[in-house]
Amino acid sequence: MRFKDKVILITGGNSGIGLSTAKRLASEGAKVAITGRDKDALDKAVKELGSNSLGIVADVTKLEDLDRMYITIKEKYGKLDGIFANAGTAAFIPISDITEESYDQLMNTNVKGVYFTLQKAIPYLLPGSAIVLNASVVASKGNAGTSVYAATKAAVRSMARTFSGELSQKNIRVNVVSPGPIETPLWKRGMTPVPDEALARIAQGVPIKRFGTEEEIAASVAFLLSEDSTYIYGVELNVDGGTSQI
């Protein structure tokens, strides 16, 4: 029960890695506030999570939604002990096919959304709080078709350092988890759905020849949010089956 009496916000918590992390934290005693843009999916997720959960319809690219999100959490729980800034999208597009629209969509969701989620959280976070950002191993690789997506995740990696540099003075930790290929709905529901044959090739490129699971990411996020990691600031934890190291 590492999170007993703790209140944790998970953006993009209505499916995939976000929902799996919410379940993991709730199982360890947390009260979880999850956000998403799809009310039906959010309601379904809250039903799965049970009475110690709160669903908030919010788009992280809209600053007024973020303001309302934090006010809602404050009114419901009176405090905030941690954040998993997970909301994001993916696209695998050749450089020649990137449009201004696709560029803006990726940057707004993955960079602007994360930045202002963190900035607007500062007045609400208690000393001793922890923040985990969701990046990706693509941030440190040169895979074809990821020029903008990888740039957004590199920005997220940078935020873990720069926010740590400022928030450590408030006793607030910021770290980042960088998943490798993970079994998640985003492969099919992202901006560019990936065909099954391409997914099979990706799995073969992982040293251990399989995709990771959402639960494996959730376990790593739980560690970084917990008091088991109180001397860890600004790090990137690669959870990728060795993709970035072997």
Side-chain angles (χ1 to χ4, degrees), residues 40 60 69 73 83 86 88 106 112 116 140 156 160 167-168 185 197 215 217 227:
D40 290 340
V60 297
M69 174 184 75
I73 294 170
I83 299 172
N86 166 70
L106 281 162
K112 176 186 174 183
F116 286 102
S140 57
V156 171
L167 297 185
S168 61
E197 57 270 24
E215 291 75 18
I217 303 301
E227 294 183 0

Side-chain angles (χ1 to χ4, degrees), residues 217-230:
I217 303 301
S220 299
V221 174
F223 165 69
L224 290 174
L225 286 173
S226 77
E227 294 183 0
D228 291 335
S229 58
T230 50

Side-chain angles (χ1 to χ4, degrees), residues 11 17 60 84-92 103 105-115 132-141 143 146-161 175-180 186 217 235-236 238:
T11 62
I17 290 171
V60 297
F84 179 33
N86 166 70
T89 190
F92 305 96
Y103 179 95
Q105 185 174 349
L106 281 162
M107 286 290 177
N108 284 340
T109 303
N110 293 359
V111 180
K112 176 186 174 183
V114 172
Y115 188 94
V132 177
L133 313 181
N134 195 3
S136 170
V137 294
V138 301
S140 57
K141 298 185 69 72
N143 297 338
T146 68
S147 59
V148 180
Y149 176 52
T152 67
K153 293 304 186 179
V156 171
R157 172 65 186 103
S158 177
M159 283 183 221
R161 292 191 175 102
N175 294 293
V176 60
V177 63
S178 286
L186 191 61
I217 303 301
V235 306
E236 178 181 21
N238 291 331

